[in-house]
């Protein structure tokens, strides 16, 4: 027994081999936060702020109307509303180059479509399953698509859109078109394995992609702190050398400022960015969710003190706009949404032949 012990002791006395990566000086555990903090709010012009306000209000009123139509049975299946999260889509997508950049998201997608300026009529028609819908009434709430606007869904499989976003980013790189992919996912999807596979590929191949975690605090119905060991989602790219950013997703000017920093980083050929937008959905996960896992007081506190639309309204009033001007915008948007609902209710349903179209791509 003595010989093996002496051998083990001798091995223990030998100096450990130096790691091949011990002097890996390019691996810096940092984020883009410092650059973002230096200019944390976008210096929007009055015209830009009014447009942000109009767009966020359009999403809010559209989603409220969608909720009403769902209650009346005019929208079937699943329906996930974006109420409360408007500043994320508007702040980010207002900074995109619509001629070359692409967007992909999960099933809470109505707001992202509206942020592109797509006609509310064709979006509402899609929700009600009508032929005039943007996916010909066959996609419904969760599966909207527009190649014209480089919007690639609307995906029902949690986290699956992230991997597809990696593919879109690879296409931008391969085609050398100068575009980037904006890939949205939620705090619940952040625990999916395919998300990290995509992080690894994106970092390895230096893909032009911005991963955006819309952290609305509850995933489907479980608080982040109960389901995630690391709730600071912007840190999760560190193991893949992806710089992160933590952003107040209830402030459209802060989101836009973050977008400027992240997009510039990616367009400079420095690889992917992971952005965490802390936001809050006022409604349940879907229309069938009573959201009993949180109190009414909690939701009301968010509405009273953190609402993205009311926050920007306050900034506009301080900049000299009047209540009457802002009320006129709201009135016009309500009329626009009512018109979209009327259009959707009166449009014909798809013909039976549509069951056999868009099923298989026969030519590439």
């Amino acid at each position: 027994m003595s010989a093996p012990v002496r051998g083990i002791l001798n091995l223990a006395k030998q100096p450990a081999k130096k790691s091949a990566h011990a002097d890996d000086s390019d691996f810096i555990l940092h984020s883009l936060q410092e650059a973002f903090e230096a200019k944390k709010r976008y210096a929007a012009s009055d015209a830009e702020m009014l447009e942000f306000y109009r767009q966020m209000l359009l999403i809010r009123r559209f989603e409220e109307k969608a909720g009403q139509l769902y209650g009346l049975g005019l929208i079937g299946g699943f329906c996930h509303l974006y109420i409360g999260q408007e500043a994320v889509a508007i702040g980010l997508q207002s900074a995109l180059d619509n001629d070359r950049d692409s967007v992909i998201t999960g099933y809470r997608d109505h707001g992202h479509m509206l942020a592109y300026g797509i006609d509310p009529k064709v979006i509402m028609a899609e929700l009600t399953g009508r032929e005039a819908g943007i996916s010909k009434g066959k996609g419904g709430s969760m599966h909207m698509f527009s190649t014209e606007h480089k919007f690639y869904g609307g995906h029902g499989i949690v986290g699956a859109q992230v991997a597809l976003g990696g593919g879109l980013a690879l296409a931008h790189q391969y085609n050398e078109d100068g575009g980037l992919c904006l890939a949205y996912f939620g705090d619940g999807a952040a625990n999916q394995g395919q998300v990290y596979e995509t992080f690894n590929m994106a970092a390895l191949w230096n893909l032009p992609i911005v991963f955006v975690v819309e952290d609305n605090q509850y995933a489907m119905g479980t608080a982040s702190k109960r389901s995630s060991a690391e709730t600071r989602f912007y840190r999760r790219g560190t193991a893949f050398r992806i710089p992160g950013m933590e952003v107040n997703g209830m402030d459209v000017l802060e989101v836009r400022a973050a977008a400027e920093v992240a997009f510039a980083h990616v367009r400079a050929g420095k690889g992917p960015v992971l952005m965490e937008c802390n936001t809050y959905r006022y409604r349940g996960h879907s229309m069938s969710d009573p959201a009993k896992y949180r109190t009414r007081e909690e939701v009301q506190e968010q509405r009273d003190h953190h609402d993205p639309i009311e926050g920007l309204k306050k900034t506009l009033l301080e900049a000299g706009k009047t209540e009457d001007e802002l009320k006129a915008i709201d009135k016009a948007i309500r009329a626009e949404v009512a018109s979209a609902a009327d259009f959707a209710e009166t449009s014909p349903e798809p013909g039976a032949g549509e069951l056999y179209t868009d099923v298989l791509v026969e030519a590439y």
Side-chain angles (χ1 to χ4, degrees), residues 153-167:
H155 292 270
I157 305 301
V158 176
Q161 74 275 15
V162 180
L164 295 173

Side-chain angles (χ1 to χ4, degrees), residues 2 10 19 59 121 183 196 236 240 298 353:
S2 59
N10 287 336
S19 169
I59 294 174
K121 290 183 178 179
Y196 299 94
R236 293 195 177 192
F240 304 95
E298 177 184 315

